[in-house]
């Protein structure tokens, strides 16, 4: 012991030789050899005595350096002299290994350095101090992050080189220091869990902070050996309490968004989120997308795929399906109320008797198109958001994991459907090019297509009502004017122009042109059915029709497209034949 106290480095080599001899003797003797056990006992006793002396020496060096006050390079001459002594004691302690040493054991220098830090943690966050608050996990998590960042330079520049010489280059003082320091966080979380389960908001907050803490350790300190959030999430009862709280919050927030009286009003300060696709974003669409993004942020760092799918399938896709159902119901109600089938009645009866609802009955075509275009814009904006999600690295990685474990995913989804009938809409993508997101997008695109069909029906209904006198005029003798269109055509053209002007201002150009093309086809069919087919048009009448088309319908159409006549090939051919005959 005299060497241990006065010249510890001279006692370490004989101790190491004793440990090797004890291990060698044990390997060549019987398991219950009394002599082997005695040698091992002497080695263990010597280790305990040497540890006491060397640990005291090491603690003296730490006190001289002011530990646990952070020690940051560059070091002055006075500090440098203390560090030389410190490094010598680190080397001695690291070389002193227990007879039953395992590679996973924490080296004594780091263990002793952490004693003071752990004591400080307990003092502030596991005592009766005001800093020990269940609703403030960020306080102790921030404390740990600050501790790591403040001591990391000293560990890397001073402690790591010494330990690498003794324990090998693969040993990381940084990772060992963080791992041992996290034991305090682990203990604190395990003690807090029972109390947090009865407080959903505090539990949710704690898990959010812990997930962010894990992310910080990985991104800023390249440490991913353990997850503090897993302590909470791997307990089924705790995880279910958190998931239920998050699902309830998301549903409550969605309900608030959906019942807003101005939900479908355009959102002016949308930060350009709709202008880049030519859509005027609605308040409900933007708020729903923001809600979905916040949900993604909530579970993005969750380690387990099955738990990620809980949030994705039950909450995110569930809310999307609710919004889709809301828009679908709106279209159903609109069609039921505003597009009643026309019932022709002989005689000159009031329109109310015939069952024909005119523009005055439902607020006019512009009012109808306003509602339809905002539903359309809401669905289109969701489609755009789903496209962005599909290209996001997080969802791409999750989809890759899903594809690699389809058997388990099918079982998971079947179980969810059995437990919750509201998830009946969830289906496994049948082809490799389809994903859960693309299936949801397809549903919203179909709704967009339906909304466009209804827009066309609204305009055509208004056209049919306004052009009734124009259709009748072909059965009467009317004076033909070489310069003006038929007087009965002014009102339907005016209504058509108003409707198309509104749509062109509220729907992207490409989509409007598509609607206009289909609308032109419907108007052409109306002409063929009500003007051309019932009447055997002579040359003069065909000239009148050509004039009405060129100076009326097609002239107005050139406001939005260059050659609207190309969308009415049957009428163009009919009038062109007559002109050819005249020539």
């Amino acid at each position: 012991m005299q060497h241990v106290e006065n010249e510890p480095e001279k006692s370490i080599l004989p101790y190491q030789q004793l440990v090797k001899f004890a291990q060698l003797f044990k390997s060549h003797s019987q398991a219950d050899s009394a002599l082997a056990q005695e040698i091992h006992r002497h080695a263990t006793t010597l280790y305990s005595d040497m540890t006491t002396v060397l640990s005291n020496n090491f603690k003296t060096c730490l006190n001289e350096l002011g530990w646990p006050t952070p020690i940051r390079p560059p070091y002055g001459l006075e500090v440098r002299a203390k560090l030389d002594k410190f490094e010598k004691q680190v080397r001695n302690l690291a070389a002193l290994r227990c007879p039953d040493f395992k590679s996973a054991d924490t080296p004594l220098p780091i263990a002793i350095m952490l004693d003071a830090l752990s004591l400080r943690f307990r003092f502030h966050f596991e005592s009766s101090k005001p800093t020990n608050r269940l609703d403030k996990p960020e306080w102790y998590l921030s404390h740990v992050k600050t501790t790591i960042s403040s001591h990391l330079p000293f560990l890397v520049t001073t402690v790591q080189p010494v330990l690498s010489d003794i324990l090998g280059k693969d040993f990381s003082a940084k990772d060992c220091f963080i791992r041992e320091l996290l034991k305090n966080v682990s203990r604190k979380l395990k003690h807090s869990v029972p109390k947090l389960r009865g407080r959903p908001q505090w539990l949710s907050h704690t898990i959010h902070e812990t997930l962010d803490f894990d992310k910080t350790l990985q991104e800023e300190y390249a440490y991913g050996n353990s997850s503090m959030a897993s302590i909470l999430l791997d307990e089924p009862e705790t995880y279910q309490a958190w998931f239920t709280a998050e699902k309830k919050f998301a549903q409550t927030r969605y309900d608030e968004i959906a019942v807003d009286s101005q939900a479908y009003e355009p959102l002016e300060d949308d930060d350009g989120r709709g202008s880049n696709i030519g859509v005027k974003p609605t308040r409900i669409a933007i708020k729903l997308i923001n809600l979905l993004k916040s949900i993604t942020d909530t579970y993005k760092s969750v380690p387990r795929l099955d738990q990620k799918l809980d949030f994705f399938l039950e909450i995110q896709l569930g809310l999307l399906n609710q919004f889709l159902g809301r828009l679908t119901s709106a279209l159903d109600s609109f069609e039921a109320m505003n597009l009643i089938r026309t019932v022709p009645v002989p005689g000159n009866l009031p329109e109310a008797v015939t069952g024909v609802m005119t523009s005055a009955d439902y607020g006019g075509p512009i009012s109808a198109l306003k509602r339809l275009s905002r539903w359309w814009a809401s669905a289109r904006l969701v489609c755009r958001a789903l496209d962005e999600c599909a290209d996001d690295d997080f969802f791409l990685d999750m989809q890759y994991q899903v594809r690699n474990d389809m058997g388990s995913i099918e079982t998971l989804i079947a179980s969810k459907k059995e437990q919750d009938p509201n998830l009946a809409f969830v289906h496994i993508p049948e082809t490799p090019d389809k994903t859960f997101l693309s299936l949801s997008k397809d549903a919203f695109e179909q709704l967009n297509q339906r909304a466009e069909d209804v827009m066309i029906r609204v305009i055509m209904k208004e056209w049919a009502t306004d052009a009734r006198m124009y259709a009748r005029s072909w059965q009467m003798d009317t004076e033909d004017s070489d310069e003006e269109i038929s007087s009965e055509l002014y009102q339907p053209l005016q209504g058509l122009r108003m409707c198309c002007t509104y749509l062109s201002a509220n729907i992207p150009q490409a989509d409007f042109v598509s609607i206009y093309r289909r609308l032109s086809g419907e108007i052409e069919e109306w002409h063929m059915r009500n003007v051309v087919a019932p009447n055997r048009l002579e040359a003069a009448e065909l000239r009148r029709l050509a004039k009405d088309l060129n100076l009326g319908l097609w002239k107005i159409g050139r406001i939005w497209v260059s050659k609207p006549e190309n969308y009415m090939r049957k009428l163009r051919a009919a009038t062109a034949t007559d002109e050819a005959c005249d020539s």
Side-chain angles (χ1 to χ4, degrees), residues 7-27:
E7 298 178 278
E9 60 276 359
K10 290 184 179 181
S11 63
I12 291 175
L13 182 57
Y15 167 76
Q16 292 174 338
Q17 292 173 343
L18 175 61
V19 171
K20 289 181 180 179
F21 175 74
Q23 293 173 344
L24 183 62
F25 188 86
K26 182 179 180 180
S27 64

Side-chain angles (χ1 to χ4, degrees), residues 444-514:
F444 278 97
E445 286 183 337
Q446 291 173 8
L447 185 135
N448 268 137
Q449 184 67 33
R450 183 185 171 192
E452 292 174 7
D453 293 341
V454 176
M455 291 178 195
I456 293 172
R457 290 172 62 189
V458 166
I459 298 174
M460 281 307 302
K461 184 175 181 180
E462 194 70 16
W463 170 274
T465 302
D466 292 343
R468 191 178 306 152
M469 294 304 298
Y470 177 67
R472 292 175 183 172
S473 71
W474 289 93
Q475 301 172 3
M476 307 174 184
D477 294 333
T478 57
E479 296 183 2
D480 186 20
S481 172
D482 293 335
E483 298 181 356
E484 295 183 358
I485 62 174
S486 302
S487 59
E488 298 86 354
L489 197 55
Y490 283 114
Q491 184 175 349
L493 287 178
Q494 182 182 9
L496 178 66
R497 179 169 183 168
M498 289 174 56
C499 292
C500 290
T501 298
Y502 179 83
L503 286 182
S504 66
N506 289 275
I507 288 180
Q509 179 65 17
D511 296 288
F512 169 75
V513 170
S514 175

Side-chain angles (χ1 to χ4, degrees), residues 305 309 397-406 409 436:
L305 176 62
L309 288 176
D397 180 64
M398 187 167 68
Q399 180 61 29
Y400 176 78
Q401 295 180 57
V402 167
R403 287 294 179 194
N404 288 340
D405 194 14
M406 285 301 295
I409 301 304
F436 289 110

Side-chain angles (χ1 to χ4, degrees), residues 308-471:
K308 289 179 181 178
L309 288 176
D310 285 342
F311 281 85
F312 177 65
L313 297 175
E314 293 193 37
I315 301 181
Q316 289 183 303
L317 291 190
L319 293 180
L320 284 171
N321 189 62
Q322 289 183 49
F323 185 50
L324 178 67
R326 194 175 190 87
L327 292 176
T328 302
S329 297
L331 281 174
D332 290 342
S333 299
F334 181 89
E335 287 185 286
M337 296 296 295
N338 302 326
L339 295 176
I340 299 177
R341 183 180 178 85
T342 311
V343 182
V345 177
N348 207 7
L349 299 176
E351 290 177 344
V353 177
T354 66
V356 180
M357 290 185 66
T358 62
S359 61
D361 296 315
Y362 59 87
I366 300 302
S367 176
L369 293 175
K370 178 180 178 181
R371 281 180 285 168
L372 290 168
S373 64
R374 289 181 180 177
W375 297 337
W376 183 95
S378 299
R380 173 54 64 88
L381 210 61
V382 170
C383 288
R384 179 56 180 250
L386 291 174
D387 277 337
E388 293 177 357
C389 289
D391 295 332
D392 185 84
D393 290 341
F394 169 72
F395 287 102
L396 288 173
D397 180 64
M398 187 167 68
Q399 180 61 29
Y400 176 78
Q401 295 180 57
V402 167
R403 287 294 179 194
N404 288 340
D405 194 14
M406 285 301 295
S408 300
I409 301 304
E410 290 177 359
T411 303
L412 176 67
I413 291 178
S415 174
K416 288 183 177 297
K417 287 184 176 181
E418 186 176 344
Q419 296 173 9
D420 187 357
N422 293 327
L423 297 177
F425 69 91
V426 179
H427 297 287
I428 297 288
E430 297 180 355
T431 58
D433 61 319
K434 289 294 184 179
T435 65
F436 289 110
L437 288 173
S438 64
L439 291 179
S440 184
K441 179 191 172 187
D442 290 346
F444 278 97
E445 286 183 337
Q446 291 173 8
L447 185 135
N448 268 137
Q449 184 67 33
R450 183 185 171 192
E452 292 174 7
D453 293 341
V454 176
M455 291 178 195
I456 293 172
R457 290 172 62 189
V458 166
I459 298 174
M460 281 307 302
K461 184 175 181 180
E462 194 70 16
W463 170 274
T465 302
D466 292 343
R468 191 178 306 152
M469 294 304 298
Y470 177 67

Side-chain angles (χ1 to χ4, degrees), residues 516 550 553-565:
Y516 182 80
N550 284 309
L553 200 58
W554 293 344
K555 182 178 180 180
I556 290 177
R558 291 188 183 94
I559 297 174
W560 308 289
V561 296
S562 58
K563 294 184 177 181
E565 61 272 18

Side-chain angles (χ1 to χ4, degrees), residues 116-358:
L117 298 175
S118 297
L119 181 62
R120 179 179 289 180
F121 185 94
R122 288 190 179 93
F123 177 80
H124 288 292
F125 307 111
E126 295 178 286
S127 66
S128 58
K129 294 294 179 183
T131 47
N132 181 18
R133 288 181 54 173
L134 191 63
D135 62 331
K136 296 293 182 180
E138 63 271 26
W139 286 1
Y140 61 83
L141 294 175
S142 177
H143 169 80
V144 171
K145 287 188 287 187
T146 301
T147 301
I148 294 172
S149 62
S150 59
H151 292 295
L152 196 58
F154 178 68
L155 286 168
V156 172
T157 59
T158 305
V159 179
Q160 179 67 51
V162 179
L163 293 181
S164 294
D165 289 343
I166 305 298
L167 304 177
K169 294 183 178 180
D170 292 337
F171 177 80
S172 172
K174 169 185 69 72
D175 288 350
C176 182
F177 180 83
I178 295 176
R179 182 179 66 249
E180 293 301 307
L181 190 59
L182 291 182
K183 289 181 179 179
N184 296 289
V185 178
S186 176
R187 184 181 62 252
K188 173 68 176 176
L189 287 173
K190 290 178 180 178
H191 183 263
S192 301
V193 164
K195 302 175 185 177
L196 289 170
R197 287 186 191 136
R199 299 176 179 269
Q201 291 184 341
W202 291 7
L203 175 61
S204 179
H205 177 59
T206 300
I207 293 179
H208 288 170
E209 290 294 330
T210 309
L211 287 169
D212 289 342
F213 177 75
D214 286 342
K215 183 179 180 181
T216 300
L217 291 182
Q218 187 170 8
E219 293 180 352
E220 296 185 13
Y221 306 111
Y223 181 83
N225 297 341
S226 60
S227 169
M228 293 296 98
S230 295
I231 296 172
L232 302 171
L233 300 180
D234 287 347
E235 283 194 8
E237 186 178 353
T238 304
Y239 168 72
Q240 195 58 43
W242 175 53
F243 176 73
T244 302
E246 291 293 339
K247 186 176 182 179
K248 183 178 180 180
F249 169 79
Q251 185 63 54
T252 302
R253 182 70 186 109
Y254 171 78
D255 292 340
E256 292 174 354
I257 294 171
V259 300
D260 183 1
S261 60
Q262 297 182 329
Y264 293 96
E265 293 297 320
L267 188 65
E268 301 300 333
D269 53 339
D270 65 300
D271 300 328
R273 282 170 285 188
S275 59
N276 58 347
I277 56 173
V279 176
K280 290 184 177 181
T282 57
R283 298 169 66 91
I284 189 170
I286 291 297
K287 290 181 178 181
L288 174 61
I289 292 170
N290 289 338
L291 175 59
L292 295 174
K293 288 180 178 179
S294 69
I295 296 170
T296 301
D297 292 338
T298 296
Y299 74 92
K300 201 170 188 176
S301 301
V302 172
R304 288 170 47 179
L305 176 62
D306 60 327
Q307 293 178 345
K308 289 179 181 178
L309 288 176
D310 285 342
F311 281 85
F312 177 65
L313 297 175
E314 293 193 37
I315 301 181
Q316 289 183 303
L317 291 190
L319 293 180
L320 284 171
N321 189 62
Q322 289 183 49
F323 185 50
L324 178 67
R326 194 175 190 87
L327 292 176
T328 302
S329 297
L331 281 174
D332 290 342
S333 299
F334 181 89
E335 287 185 286
M337 296 296 295
N338 302 326
L339 295 176
I340 299 177
R341 183 180 178 85
T342 311
V343 182
V345 177
N348 207 7
L349 299 176
E351 290 177 344
V353 177
T354 66
V356 180
M357 290 185 66
T358 62

